[in-house]
Amino acid sequence: MPTTTTTMPTTTTTMPITTTTVPAFSSSVSLVTAAQLGGTWHAGCPVDPSQLRLLQLSYWGFDNQPHVGTLVVNASVADSVIAVFSNLYAARFPIEEMVPEAAYGGNDNAAAAADDTSGFNCRYAVAPGTPQWSMHAYGEAIDVNDVQNPYIDGATIIPPAGAAYEVRSDVRPGMAVPGGTLVDAFGAIGWGWGGNWVGTPDYQHFSINGQ
């Protein structure tokens, strides 16, 4: 009898290719109350809560994942600040944390130690002489990644963990450096950088007037 060979059909299964979709940058602007501002505001501050806004913003974390944080800023600069953080998100510039300083009772050193990125805080500027309001007291300044970008005044480094980043030529993620993503993003809206201050550089600090 003739031999019949039966060839079974071969089936190739193609597994679907999945890609991780990064959420688009998002932002929102809302009113903020004195109760929400907590220890960052009190009677006698140079701005009223009605002049401030709570921003909800996407940001890229050091864990290489997207997050959503909040900042309190002056209503007059809200749109400009949103533009800055949109650019940072697109560039995947890492930010450790973004919560209002009310979470730390208005204690600037505690917020800095937590590597917080924050805006409004009704406090005086860190400077000798007659006390003057910081630009943070107007909601027109933002500190970004305090640990990676410390304030330095001789042997004083705020926060202390920022000592690991005192040598600015050793550029690492999250740092503010001339010509870098962070400095350029704020420069694009006309804000000045505390890293340019002579004698007491404040690498974390950006403000509408550079002070």
Side-chain angles (χ1 to χ4, degrees):
M1 296 291 293
T3 301
T4 303
T5 302
T6 304
T7 303
M8 298 298 293
T10 301
T11 303
T12 302
T13 302
T14 303
M15 298 298 292
I17 299 174
T18 59
T19 58
T20 301
T21 302
V22 176
F25 175 82
S26 65
S27 65
S28 66
V29 182
S30 59
L31 298 174
V32 63
T33 65
Q36 288 175 303
L37 294 173
T40 65
W41 186 86
H42 55 81
C45 288
V47 296
D48 187 78
S50 64
Q51 296 172 266
L52 301 170
R53 294 294 183 270
L54 181 69
L55 307 185
Q56 189 172 70
L57 303 165
S58 301
Y59 71 92
W60 201 257
F62 278 89
D63 59 358
N64 202 35
Q65 296 295 319
H67 300 269
V68 176
T70 51
L71 280 175
V72 176
V73 299
N74 196 291
S76 64
V77 302
D79 289 343
S80 296
V81 170
I82 289 171
V84 168
F85 284 89
S86 176
N87 287 335
L88 295 180
Y89 186 77
R92 298 194 180 186
F93 179 87
I95 292 172
E96 180 61 33
E97 175 186 272
M98 190 191 300
V99 298
E101 283 207 21
Y104 297 94
N107 186 322
D108 198 53
N109 286 344
D115 208 8
D116 188 38
T117 290
S118 59
F120 174 77
N121 189 15
C122 184
R123 63 172 176 82
Y124 291 118
V126 180
T130 303
Q132 296 183 355
W133 290 118
S134 164
M135 293 308 295
H136 287 283
Y138 298 90
E140 296 176 337
I142 294 172
D143 289 343
V144 182
N145 289 347
D146 307 85
V147 171
Q148 290 77 17
N149 303 302
Y151 168 81
I152 301 175
D153 182 5
T156 300
I157 299 177
I158 302 174
Y165 292 86
E166 185 175 7
V167 178
R168 306 305 291 177
S169 59
D170 181 12
V171 180
R172 285 156 283 171
M175 291 177 62
V177 294
T181 299
L182 183 58
V183 174
D184 284 356
F186 277 99
I189 64 167
W191 281 32
W193 177 39
N196 291 324
W197 297 356
V198 177
T200 57
D202 194 356
Y203 295 110
Q204 64 201 245
H205 184 82
F206 297 88
S207 70
I208 193 170
N209 66 354
Q211 301 300 315

